[in-house]
Amino acid sequence: MNLQLVSSQRCFGGLQQRYSHVSKVLNCTMQFSVFLPPQAAQHKVPALYWLSGLTCTDENFSSKAGAQRIAAELGMALIIPDTSPRGADVADSPDGAYDLGLGAGFYVNATQEPWASHYRMDDYIQQELPALIEANLPVTAKKAISGHSMGGHGALVLALRAPQNYLSVSAFAPICNPTRCDWGQKAFTAYLGADESSWAQYDASMLLAKTGSRLPILVSQGGDDQFLTNQLKPESLQQAAAASNTKLIYELQPGYDHSYYFIATFIEQHVRFHARFLLG
């Protein structure tokens, strides 16, 4: 077994746990958090994967969002990966910036050095981590995916790139059009190179406009989000959905900002949304 249990606490009748493992894809030791509902003691359960935002680790969502209560009621596991590779040998932003390097993997497979040898979060989330979890924990292959900000971008992109892997997708305040915002342009230039034609494969708005999607999609956006206009650009995703005849549930929530208070307020809605497809 490649998993090492780091911590385990009883939570709403289930278990909130943290594991470490050696990732061959990322070429480093990784940690992830998982909530196993009480039902997992009797049978395998489906999983909602959560991708966190810039500067986060695998622990932010589990400690701040309050999703365990509803997941325990419904019988769903919560899988929370880290946001980037980690370790002394892993490249980081040369100036210590928060939006590149450690904590800022952007869920892409980097092609440029010094990033390419570790920053392969696309393959890690899509392939390595689910295979590891399904082989070692009481979790089925039925998956949904969600996330916040950079993680909302990741959830949308990974679901659009591999719709066969998921039954539904949602996002809180996602970076919808990263090729047209500072966060995305900085990260994509570093990880993917200056040729912008390679960026489109990781832009949710461009992917949706090109291919559409049959997956159920829910997006929640705070109306008072300080990054709404310059970084998130949800109007691009809405336009792409309209152009591709994709059903997108987009909800603007007046007065809410970019914080976990926003996520905690609406997380039950998102978990129940996914339960409709994960549980039948």
Side-chain angles (χ1 to χ4, degrees), residues 1-279:
M1 183 174 179
N2 191 24
L3 293 181
Q4 299 294 322
L5 183 64
V6 175
S7 62
S8 182
Q9 289 85 30
R10 183 66 65 182
C11 182
F12 291 102
L15 293 172
Q16 180 66 49
Q17 298 181 320
R18 199 179 195 207
Y19 288 92
S20 69
H21 71 101
V22 175
S23 169
K24 294 181 180 179
V25 168
L26 302 180
N27 194 25
C28 64
T29 297
M30 293 293 289
Q31 293 189 330
F32 67 90
S33 293
V34 56
F35 173 71
L36 296 174
Q39 296 87 341
Q42 305 299 323
H43 56 79
K44 290 187 176 183
V45 297
L48 173 61
Y49 280 67
W50 174 270
L51 307 184
S52 296
L54 290 166
T55 75
C56 291
T57 70
D58 59 293
E59 293 189 294
N60 293 76
F61 180 77
S62 58
S63 63
K64 294 181 177 181
Q68 293 94 336
R69 177 184 61 82
I70 189 65
E73 174 193 323
L74 297 171
M76 293 166 50
L78 303 172
I79 310 296
I80 309 114
D82 204 346
T83 53
S84 77
R86 303 280 178 174
D89 296 331
V90 176
D92 195 9
S93 173
D95 58 1
Y98 74 94
D99 53 358
L100 184 69
L102 298 181
F106 271 83
Y107 306 101
V108 305
N109 287 337
T111 59
Q112 306 298 303
E113 295 300 343
W115 315 100
S117 59
H118 293 286
Y119 284 76
R120 301 188 62 81
M121 292 296 291
D122 182 343
D123 284 351
Y124 177 69
I125 303 296
Q126 298 278 44
Q127 301 172 26
E128 185 180 36
L129 184 61
L132 184 67
I133 287 171
E134 291 159 24
N136 292 287
L137 296 176
V139 174
T140 73
K142 295 177 70 174
K143 299 190 292 293
I145 191 166
S146 186
H148 172 233
S149 193
M150 177 186 73
H153 140 77
L156 291 170
V157 165
L158 296 189
L160 292 170
R161 283 169 58 84
Q164 70 278 7
N165 289 349
Y166 306 100
L167 296 177
S168 53
V169 57
S170 74
F172 288 82
I175 305 171
C176 294
N177 199 183
T179 60
R180 293 182 52 241
C181 76
D182 291 344
W183 280 342
Q185 290 169 355
K186 178 178 181 178
F188 288 1
T189 300
Y191 298 146
L192 305 175
D195 181 1
E196 295 186 15
S197 65
S198 67
W199 299 2
Q201 62 182 315
Y202 292 113
D203 185 305
S205 295
M206 297 178 73
L207 286 170
L208 193 61
K210 181 178 180 180
T211 65
S213 178
R214 294 183 179 180
L215 285 176
I217 306 173
L218 169 64
V219 172
S220 295
Q221 174 62 59
D224 284 0
D225 192 316
Q226 62 269 43
F227 303 113
L228 177 57
T229 302
N230 293 333
Q231 302 286 9
L232 306 181
K233 302 188 182 299
E235 68 281 357
S236 296
L237 192 70
Q238 293 172 280
Q239 292 165 4
S244 61
N245 294 313
T246 297
K247 183 180 180 181
L248 167 67
I249 303 171
Y250 175 78
E251 297 184 350
L252 184 67
Q253 303 294 354
Y256 287 89
D257 63 11
H258 200 69
S259 72
Y260 261 86
Y261 296 110
F262 168 53
I263 298 170
T265 302
F266 297 101
I267 192 61
E268 180 171 347
Q269 176 196 10
H270 281 243
V271 175
R272 290 192 182 278
F273 168 80
H274 293 293
R276 290 164 51 195
F277 310 103
L278 289 173
L279 301 172

